[in-house]
PDB file of all heavy atoms in Angstrom:
ATOM      1  N   ASN A   1      11.283  50.748  -3.909  1.00 47.00           N
ATOM      2  CA  ASN A   1      10.290  51.817  -4.015  1.00 47.00           C
ATOM      3  C   ASN A   1       9.982  52.156  -5.468  1.00 47.00           C
ATOM      4  O   ASN A   1       8.847  52.433  -5.835  1.00 47.00           O
ATOM      5  CB  ASN A   1      10.786  53.067  -3.283  1.00 47.00           C
ATOM      6  CG  ASN A   1      10.804  52.878  -1.782  1.00 47.00           C
ATOM      7  OD1 ASN A   1      10.101  52.008  -1.269  1.00 47.00           O
ATOM      8  ND2 ASN A   1      11.603  53.663  -1.084  1.00 47.00           N
ATOM      9  N   THR A   2      11.022  52.132  -6.309  1.00 43.00           N
ATOM     10  CA  THR A   2      10.821  52.410  -7.729  1.00 43.00           C
ATOM     11  C   THR A   2       9.956  51.341  -8.373  1.00 43.00           C
ATOM     12  O   THR A   2       9.038  51.635  -9.155  1.00 43.00           O
ATOM     13  CB  THR A   2      12.179  52.481  -8.443  1.00 43.00           C
ATOM     14  OG1 THR A   2      12.980  53.489  -7.833  1.00 43.00           O
ATOM     15  CG2 THR A   2      11.989  52.805  -9.927  1.00 43.00           C
ATOM     16  N   LEU A   3      10.242  50.065  -8.040  1.00 42.00           N
ATOM     17  CA  LEU A   3       9.452  48.961  -8.585  1.00 42.00           C
ATOM     18  C   LEU A   3       8.011  49.047  -8.112  1.00 42.00           C
ATOM     19  O   LEU A   3       7.073  48.842  -8.900  1.00 42.00           O
ATOM     20  CB  LEU A   3      10.071  47.624  -8.155  1.00 42.00           C
ATOM     21  CG  LEU A   3       9.309  46.361  -8.589  1.00 42.00           C
ATOM     22  CD1 LEU A   3       9.218  46.299 -10.120  1.00 42.00           C
ATOM     23  CD2 LEU A   3      10.002  45.124  -8.042  1.00 42.00           C
ATOM     24  N   LEU A   4       7.791  49.348  -6.839  1.00 43.00           N
ATOM     25  CA  LEU A   4       6.444  49.457  -6.301  1.00 43.00           C
ATOM     26  C   LEU A   4       5.669  50.563  -7.005  1.00 43.00           C
ATOM     27  O   LEU A   4       4.499  50.386  -7.373  1.00 43.00           O
ATOM     28  CB  LEU A   4       6.504  49.742  -4.797  1.00 43.00           C
ATOM     29  CG  LEU A   4       5.163  49.948  -4.094  1.00 43.00           C
ATOM     30  CD1 LEU A   4       4.283  48.722  -4.253  1.00 43.00           C
ATOM     31  CD2 LEU A   4       5.381  50.264  -2.626  1.00 43.00           C
ATOM     32  N   ALA A   5       6.315  51.701  -7.216  1.00 43.00           N
ATOM     33  CA  ALA A   5       5.643  52.808  -7.897  1.00 43.00           C
ATOM     34  C   ALA A   5       5.248  52.417  -9.311  1.00 43.00           C
ATOM     35  O   ALA A   5       4.155  52.757  -9.787  1.00 43.00           O
ATOM     36  CB  ALA A   5       6.562  54.035  -7.922  1.00 43.00           C
ATOM     37  N   PHE A   6       6.120  51.672  -9.982  1.00 38.00           N
ATOM     38  CA  PHE A   6       5.792  51.231 -11.345  1.00 38.00           C
ATOM     39  C   PHE A   6       4.612  50.284 -11.355  1.00 38.00           C
ATOM     40  O   PHE A   6       3.694  50.405 -12.171  1.00 38.00           O
ATOM     41  CB  PHE A   6       7.017  50.552 -11.969  1.00 38.00           C
ATOM     42  CG  PHE A   6       6.733  49.888 -13.290  1.00 38.00           C
ATOM     43  CD1 PHE A   6       6.559  50.646 -14.448  1.00 38.00           C
ATOM     44  CD2 PHE A   6       6.611  48.506 -13.379  1.00 38.00           C
ATOM     45  CE1 PHE A   6       6.279  50.034 -15.661  1.00 38.00           C
ATOM     46  CE2 PHE A   6       6.337  47.896 -14.577  1.00 38.00           C
ATOM     47  CZ  PHE A   6       6.168  48.651 -15.728  1.00 38.00           C
ATOM     48  N   LEU A   7       4.601  49.312 -10.432  1.00 40.00           N
ATOM     49  CA  LEU A   7       3.510  48.336 -10.381  1.00 40.00           C
ATOM     50  C   LEU A   7       2.187  49.012 -10.086  1.00 40.00           C
ATOM     51  O   LEU A   7       1.148  48.678 -10.674  1.00 40.00           O
ATOM     52  CB  LEU A   7       3.801  47.265  -9.325  1.00 40.00           C
ATOM     53  CG  LEU A   7       4.949  46.314  -9.658  1.00 40.00           C
ATOM     54  CD1 LEU A   7       5.225  45.397  -8.468  1.00 40.00           C
ATOM     55  CD2 LEU A   7       4.634  45.488 -10.898  1.00 40.00           C
ATOM     56  N   LEU A   8       2.188  49.966  -9.169  1.00 39.00           N
ATOM     57  CA  LEU A   8       0.964  50.684  -8.860  1.00 39.00           C
ATOM     58  C   LEU A   8       0.488  51.509 -10.055  1.00 39.00           C
ATOM     59  O   LEU A   8      -0.708  51.612 -10.319  1.00 39.00           O
ATOM     60  CB  LEU A   8       1.184  51.598  -7.651  1.00 39.00           C
ATOM     61  CG  LEU A   8       1.364  50.889  -6.305  1.00 39.00           C
ATOM     62  CD1 LEU A   8       1.748  51.900  -5.228  1.00 39.00           C
ATOM     63  CD2 LEU A   8       0.095  50.160  -5.912  1.00 39.00           C
ATOM     64  N   LEU A   9       1.444  52.059 -10.778  1.00 37.00           N
ATOM     65  CA  LEU A   9       1.087  52.878 -11.931  1.00 37.00           C
ATOM     66  C   LEU A   9       0.383  52.061 -12.994  1.00 37.00           C
ATOM     67  O   LEU A   9      -0.611  52.487 -13.585  1.00 37.00           O
ATOM     68  CB  LEU A   9       2.352  53.532 -12.506  1.00 37.00           C
ATOM     69  CG  LEU A   9       2.154  54.403 -13.762  1.00 37.00           C
ATOM     70  CD1 LEU A   9       1.283  55.613 -13.402  1.00 37.00           C
ATOM     71  CD2 LEU A   9       3.500  54.869 -14.310  1.00 37.00           C
ATOM     72  N   VAL A  10       0.869  50.865 -13.255  1.00 34.00           N
ATOM     73  CA  VAL A  10       0.268  50.043 -14.320  1.00 34.00           C
ATOM     74  C   VAL A  10      -0.899  49.218 -13.805  1.00 34.00           C
ATOM     75  O   VAL A  10      -1.523  48.493 -14.571  1.00 34.00           O
ATOM     76  CB  VAL A  10       1.332  49.135 -14.971  1.00 34.00           C
ATOM     77  CG1 VAL A  10       2.429  49.963 -15.611  1.00 34.00           C
ATOM     78  CG2 VAL A  10       1.911  48.158 -13.955  1.00 34.00           C
ATOM     79  N   GLY A  11      -1.168  49.296 -12.498  1.00 39.00           N
ATOM     80  CA  GLY A  11      -2.349  48.627 -11.959  1.00 39.00           C
ATOM     81  C   GLY A  11      -2.187  47.147 -11.741  1.00 39.00           C
ATOM     82  O   GLY A  11      -3.150  46.398 -11.694  1.00 39.00           O
ATOM     83  N   LEU A  12      -0.946  46.668 -11.590  1.00 38.00           N
ATOM     84  CA  LEU A  12      -0.721  45.236 -11.426  1.00 38.00           C
ATOM     85  C   LEU A  12      -0.625  44.817  -9.974  1.00 38.00           C
ATOM     86  O   LEU A  12      -0.629  43.634  -9.678  1.00 38.00           O
ATOM     87  CB  LEU A  12       0.582  44.825 -12.142  1.00 38.00           C
ATOM     88  CG  LEU A  12       0.577  44.979 -13.658  1.00 38.00           C
ATOM     89  CD1 LEU A  12       1.937  44.583 -14.221  1.00 38.00           C
ATOM     90  CD2 LEU A  12      -0.525  44.124 -14.268  1.00 38.00           C
ATOM     91  N   ALA A  13      -0.512  45.762  -9.069  1.00 40.00           N
ATOM     92  CA  ALA A  13      -0.313  45.401  -7.657  1.00 40.00           C
ATOM     93  C   ALA A  13      -1.209  46.221  -6.765  1.00 40.00           C
ATOM     94  O   ALA A  13      -0.756  46.998  -5.944  1.00 40.00           O
ATOM     95  CB  ALA A  13       1.151  45.595  -7.273  1.00 40.00           C
ATOM     96  N   PRO A  14      -2.529  46.046  -6.844  1.00 42.00           N
ATOM     97  CA  PRO A  14      -3.444  46.904  -6.105  1.00 42.00           C
ATOM     98  C   PRO A  14      -3.363  46.778  -4.604  1.00 42.00           C
ATOM     99  O   PRO A  14      -3.761  47.692  -3.903  1.00 42.00           O
ATOM    100  CB  PRO A  14      -4.819  46.459  -6.611  1.00 42.00           C
ATOM    101  CG  PRO A  14      -4.616  45.085  -7.135  1.00 42.00           C
ATOM    102  CD  PRO A  14      -3.224  45.075  -7.683  1.00 42.00           C
ATOM    103  N   ALA A  15      -2.839  45.672  -4.060  1.00 41.00           N
ATOM    104  CA  ALA A  15      -2.872  45.504  -2.606  1.00 41.00           C
ATOM    105  C   ALA A  15      -1.497  45.581  -1.968  1.00 41.00           C
ATOM    106  O   ALA A  15      -1.384  45.499  -0.764  1.00 41.00           O
ATOM    107  CB  ALA A  15      -3.526  44.178  -2.243  1.00 41.00           C
ATOM    108  N   VAL A  16      -0.447  45.706  -2.755  1.00 44.00           N
ATOM    109  CA  VAL A  16       0.886  45.691  -2.185  1.00 44.00           C
ATOM    110  C   VAL A  16       1.086  46.823  -1.188  1.00 44.00           C
ATOM    111  O   VAL A  16       1.795  46.680  -0.212  1.00 44.00           O
ATOM    112  CB  VAL A  16       1.945  45.766  -3.312  1.00 44.00           C
ATOM    113  CG1 VAL A  16       3.337  45.869  -2.731  1.00 44.00           C
ATOM    114  CG2 VAL A  16       1.829  44.539  -4.202  1.00 44.00           C
ATOM    115  N   SER A  17       0.433  47.958  -1.413  1.00 44.00           N
ATOM    116  CA  SER A  17       0.669  49.117  -0.571  1.00 44.00           C
ATOM    117  C   SER A  17      -0.314  49.233   0.590  1.00 44.00           C
ATOM    118  O   SER A  17      -0.320  50.230   1.280  1.00 44.00           O
ATOM    119  CB  SER A  17       0.588  50.397  -1.412  1.00 44.00           C
ATOM    120  OG  SER A  17      -0.702  50.536  -1.967  1.00 44.00           O
ATOM    121  N   ALA A  18      -1.174  48.205   0.792  1.00 50.00           N
ATOM    122  CA  ALA A  18      -2.098  48.266   1.917  1.00 50.00           C
ATOM    123  C   ALA A  18      -1.318  48.394   3.207  1.00 50.00           C
ATOM    124  O   ALA A  18      -0.413  47.612   3.463  1.00 50.00           O
ATOM    125  CB  ALA A  18      -2.961  47.001   1.945  1.00 50.00           C
ATOM    126  N   GLN A  19      -1.656  49.373   4.039  1.00 50.00           N
ATOM    127  CA  GLN A  19      -0.874  49.626   5.228  1.00 50.00           C
ATOM    128  C   GLN A  19      -1.748  49.756   6.463  1.00 50.00           C
ATOM    129  O   GLN A  19      -2.907  50.113   6.389  1.00 50.00           O
ATOM    130  CB  GLN A  19      -0.055  50.913   5.073  1.00 50.00           C
ATOM    131  CG  GLN A  19       1.033  50.804   4.012  1.00 50.00           C
ATOM    132  CD  GLN A  19       1.944  52.005   4.025  1.00 50.00           C
ATOM    133  OE1 GLN A  19       1.698  52.987   4.718  1.00 50.00           O
ATOM    134  NE2 GLN A  19       3.017  51.925   3.268  1.00 50.00           N
ATOM    135  N   SER A  20      -1.176  49.406   7.595  1.00 48.00           N
ATOM    136  CA  SER A  20      -1.798  49.622   8.890  1.00 48.00           C
ATOM    137  C   SER A  20      -0.689  50.043   9.835  1.00 48.00           C
ATOM    138  O   SER A  20       0.197  49.260  10.135  1.00 48.00           O
ATOM    139  CB  SER A  20      -2.476  48.349   9.394  1.00 48.00           C
ATOM    140  OG  SER A  20      -2.983  48.522  10.686  1.00 48.00           O
ATOM    141  N   GLY A  21      -0.692  51.306  10.262  1.00 48.00           N
ATOM    142  CA  GLY A  21       0.414  51.808  11.045  1.00 48.00           C
ATOM    143  C   GLY A  21       1.648  51.895  10.164  1.00 48.00           C
ATOM    144  O   GLY A  21       1.629  52.483   9.099  1.00 48.00           O
ATOM    145  N   THR A  22       2.737  51.263  10.620  1.00 44.00           N
ATOM    146  CA  THR A  22       3.980  51.283   9.854  1.00 44.00           C
ATOM    147  C   THR A  22       4.175  50.003   9.056  1.00 44.00           C
ATOM    148  O   THR A  22       5.179  49.857   8.382  1.00 44.00           O
ATOM    149  CB  THR A  22       5.173  51.471  10.810  1.00 44.00           C
ATOM    150  OG1 THR A  22       5.188  50.384  11.757  1.00 44.00           O
ATOM    151  CG2 THR A  22       5.067  52.789  11.551  1.00 44.00           C
ATOM    152  N   GLU A  23       3.241  49.062   9.139  1.00 67.00           N
ATOM    153  CA  GLU A  23       3.379  47.791   8.443  1.00 67.00           C
ATOM    154  C   GLU A  23       2.816  47.889   7.032  1.00 67.00           C
ATOM    155  O   GLU A  23       1.876  48.627   6.769  1.00 67.00           O
ATOM    156  CB  GLU A  23       2.653  46.683   9.198  1.00 67.00           C
ATOM    157  CG  GLU A  23       3.185  46.418  10.586  1.00 67.00           C
ATOM    158  CD  GLU A  23       2.411  45.316  11.276  1.00 67.00           C
ATOM    159  OE1 GLU A  23       2.745  44.145  11.063  1.00 67.00           O
ATOM    160  OE2 GLU A  23       1.466  45.647  12.007  1.00 67.00           O
ATOM    161  N   SER A  24       3.393  47.115   6.126  1.00 90.00           N
ATOM    162  CA  SER A  24       2.857  47.006   4.782  1.00 90.00           C
ATOM    163  C   SER A  24       2.467  45.551   4.548  1.00 90.00           C
ATOM    164  O   SER A  24       3.069  44.629   5.105  1.00 90.00           O
ATOM    165  CB  SER A  24       3.881  47.468   3.746  1.00 90.00           C
ATOM    166  OG  SER A  24       5.028  46.660   3.781  1.00 90.00           O
ATOM    167  N   TYR A  25       1.446  45.349   3.720  1.00 95.00           N
ATOM    168  CA  TYR A  25       0.889  44.031   3.494  1.00 95.00           C
ATOM    169  C   TYR A  25       0.802  43.752   2.001  1.00 95.00           C
ATOM    170  O   TYR A  25       0.618  44.661   1.191  1.00 95.00           O
ATOM    171  CB  TYR A  25      -0.510  43.930   4.106  1.00 95.00           C
ATOM    172  CG  TYR A  25      -0.533  44.104   5.602  1.00 95.00           C
ATOM    173  CD1 TYR A  25      -0.693  45.366   6.169  1.00 95.00           C
ATOM    174  CD2 TYR A  25      -0.396  43.009   6.441  1.00 95.00           C
ATOM    175  CE1 TYR A  25      -0.708  45.529   7.545  1.00 95.00           C
ATOM    176  CE2 TYR A  25      -0.408  43.165   7.817  1.00 95.00           C
ATOM    177  CZ  TYR A  25      -0.565  44.421   8.368  1.00 95.00           C
ATOM    178  OH  TYR A  25      -0.575  44.580   9.716  1.00 95.00           O
TER     179      TYR A  25
END
């Protein structure tokens, strides 16, 4: 979760958090 938050903050992972229901893509 910490790594994901960092990637989203710097704009390197725009699609990692795409979600549908409880799934992440």
Side-chain angles (χ1 to χ4, degrees):
N1 290 338
T2 302
L3 177 60
L4 177 59
F6 172 75
L7 291 174
L8 290 173
L9 178 65
V10 299
L12 295 178
V16 175
S17 62
Q19 293 188 352
S20 175
T22 59
E23 298 180 85
S24 62
Y25 297 90

